[in-house]
């Protein structure tokens, strides 16, 4: 029987093995870079970053804590983000004087991450870096300094591996390109 996601999948963009290999590499680099810091607080931006965080942290060998932040853009459709971002759920951890690494699924226009970074910077962390699995660099309208990137991807709407399609299919082990025809011909 065809699985529910299949009609929405145009093609697999990044398969499971490629994702996992790259995530292991990122984890090794983060471990090296934070070895001397003696502190690391990894902040996952919900919900999209959750698969990435849990896989990534398995490859981070320095002691670290995790926390979660949920944000949303409002007044927008499926495709566009605006500067109107708000916090839906704040961190439990204190950020002041901590070495903070934001873990995000995808950076598109950059509005969401600009907001998150400004909120965290105002709390005076010892350092603030950014790790994103996917970077749609060609769509950027706000400048964002990225310290760790999994994959730079083209301007295509993707889902799976934490990214949703109408809140579903975050559990897929790969990143797939959405078949837009499935929406117009339903
Ligand atoms: P930005 O504020 O435009 O950078 O958008 C970032 C947010 O938009 C991400 O955290 C995702 O939640 C969402 N997003 C952007 N592109 C995609 C995509 O291709 N698939 C699913 N979600 C996306
Ligand atoms: Mg996200």
């Amino acid at each position: 029987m065809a699985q529910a996601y299949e009609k929405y999948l145009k093609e697999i963009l990044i398969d499971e093995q490629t994702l996992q290999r790259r995530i292991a590499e990122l984890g090794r680099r983060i471990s090296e870079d934070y070895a001397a810091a003696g502190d690391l607080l990894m902040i996952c931006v919900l919900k999209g970053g959750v698969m990435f965080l849990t896989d990534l942290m398995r490859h981070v060998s320095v002691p670290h804590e995790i926390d979660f932040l949920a944000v949303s853009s409002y007044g927008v459709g499926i495709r566009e983000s605006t500067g109107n971002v708000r916090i839906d759920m704040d961190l439990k951890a204190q950020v002041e004087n901590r070495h903070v690494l934001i873990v995000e699924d995808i950076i598109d226009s950059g509005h969401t991450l600009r907001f998150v970074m400004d909120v965290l910077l105002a709390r005076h962390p010892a350092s603030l870096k950014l790790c994103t699995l996917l970077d749609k660099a060609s769509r950027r309208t706000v400048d964002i300094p990225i310290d760790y990137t999994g994959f730079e991807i083209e301007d295509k709407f993707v889902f799976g591996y934490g990214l949703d399609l109408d809140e579903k299919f975050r559990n897929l082990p790969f990143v797939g390109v959405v078949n837009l025809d499935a929406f117009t011909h339903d």
Side-chain angles (χ1 to χ4, degrees), residues 45-49 71 104-106 112-113 163:
V45 184
L46 294 174
K47 303 170 191 170
V71 295
E104 172 65 306
D105 52 352
I106 186 165
T112 305
L113 254 292
L163 295 122

Side-chain angles (χ1 to χ4, degrees), residues 52-133:
F52 182 36
L53 173 81
T54 55
D55 281 340
L56 181 65
M57 66 190 286
R58 288 173 231 243
H59 298 281
V60 174
S61 57
V62 294
H64 58 278
E65 297 170 35
I66 59 170
D67 203 353
F68 300 90
L69 181 72
V71 295
S72 57
S73 311
Y74 50 97
V76 294
I78 185 175
R79 195 69 179 79
E80 299 301 324
S81 162
T82 68
N84 298 324
V85 186
R86 63 156 189 243
I87 296 180
D88 290 334
M89 188 190 84
D90 207 338
L91 299 170
K92 198 166 182 192
Q94 300 291 320
V95 160
E96 191 170 353
N97 290 326
R98 304 292 311 271
H99 289 285
V100 174
L101 178 64
I102 301 170
V103 177
E104 172 65 306
D105 52 352
I106 186 165
I107 302 178
D108 189 26
S109 71
H111 285 298
T112 305
L113 254 292
R114 185 68 266 164
F115 173 82
V116 169
M117 291 189 85
D118 288 346
V119 165
L120 296 180
L121 284 170
R123 298 177 186 181
H124 305 293
S127 69
L128 181 64
K129 287 190 177 183
L130 171 60
C131 176
T132 186
L133 181 67

Side-chain angles (χ1 to χ4, degrees), residues 122-157:
R123 298 177 186 181
H124 305 293
S127 69
L128 181 64
K129 287 190 177 183
L130 171 60
C131 176
T132 186
L133 181 67
L134 306 174
D135 177 13
K136 277 192 203 169
S138 66
R139 295 254 308 162
R140 200 66 34 81
T141 57
V142 183
D143 199 29
I144 296 288
I146 307 177
D147 300 280
Y148 307 95
T149 304
F151 304 87
E152 187 174 318
I153 64 168
E154 285 174 45
D155 177 17
K156 290 177 176 164
F157 202 77

